Amino acid sequence: MAKDTSNKFTPGGFIKVISFLHLGIAATPIVLGTLFYFRTTNTELSFTNSNDMFLAIVPVVAISSIFLGDFVFKKIIKALPNNMTLREKLMKYQTASIIKFALLEGAALFSIVIFGNTQNLTYLIVGLLLIFFLFLQRPAKQKIETTLNLRGEEKAKFDRTDEPLD
């Protein structure tokens, strides 16, 4: 008789969930950017409008979101104790990843909303660069293994993607 694993926490299920969360977070600025782009009629690409304070604010927000997200992610991962179970490590990894993704999404949305208000393509380009960077952060099995430094029994458990961890 086969074991019922339908409601159990498995590494494969974890990877699917975190990938779905990543895609959902990335989809919002893509949809909003697309709507704003096709809604505008007088777009321009301008880096020289000295009255536009957002030419300074948007890049600072974008760069800050990248570095802050990476900092928080690494801080959470580095604080994981060695005696923590694989399931607990994966949950902390998910929390750290969502924070990182959300900071990138927020900065991308900010850039896109500013584009919607000013119709300056510079802000849409910054938003697209943030979305691209967010896609580079896509979770993958190998990336998770490396980040969590899984070795020995933990790596073996993580490699058995359909076996419950609890």
Side-chain angles (χ1 to χ4, degrees):
M1 188 165 129
K3 285 197 282 187
D4 177 29
T5 60
S6 59
N7 290 325
K8 300 287 185 176
F9 183 84
T10 64
F14 169 78
I15 293 168
K16 285 178 188 171
V17 167
I18 197 166
S19 295
F20 183 74
L21 288 170
H22 176 264
L23 183 62
I25 289 170
T28 305
I30 292 170
V31 169
L32 189 65
T34 303
L35 289 173
F36 279 13
Y37 179 77
F38 287 111
R39 178 189 71 115
T40 58
T41 54
N42 298 325
T43 60
E44 65 176 358
L45 183 63
S46 171
F47 301 102
T48 58
N49 186 351
S50 61
N51 293 329
D52 189 357
M53 68 181 172
F54 289 115
L55 283 174
I57 295 171
V58 168
V60 168
V61 169
I63 292 168
S64 297
S65 73
I66 291 170
F67 286 110
L68 183 61
D70 195 50
F71 173 77
V72 170
F73 179 83
K74 286 179 179 175
K75 187 170 176 82
I76 291 171
I77 297 303
K78 195 173 191 175
L80 297 177
N82 291 334
N83 62 347
M84 192 176 258
T85 67
L86 178 56
R87 180 187 177 127
E88 291 169 331
K89 285 181 181 179
L90 293 174
M91 291 293 94
K92 290 288 188 182
Y93 182 91
Q94 181 174 321
T95 300
S97 296
I98 290 171
I99 292 168
K100 183 186 208 180
F101 301 158
L103 285 167
L104 291 169
E105 176 196 37
L109 288 171
F110 178 69
S111 298
I112 291 166
V113 167
I114 299 303
F115 163 72
N117 288 333
T118 64
Q119 298 185 3
N120 184 345
L121 286 170
T122 304
Y123 305 120
L124 184 61
I125 292 168
V126 170
L128 291 173
L129 289 172
L130 286 164
I131 292 166
F132 176 72
F133 186 74
L134 178 58
F135 270 107
L136 293 178
Q137 306 306 307
R138 190 178 73 75
K141 184 179 181 295
Q142 184 61 44
K143 212 185 270 189
I144 296 166
E145 264 181 39
T146 303
T147 303
L148 292 177
N149 197 24
L150 299 181
R151 303 268 187 262
E153 180 60 31
E154 278 186 332
K155 184 177 179 336
K157 280 183 182 179
F158 192 66
D159 286 340
R160 293 189 296 266
T161 56
D162 294 329
E163 291 291 318
L165 292 177
D166 41 5

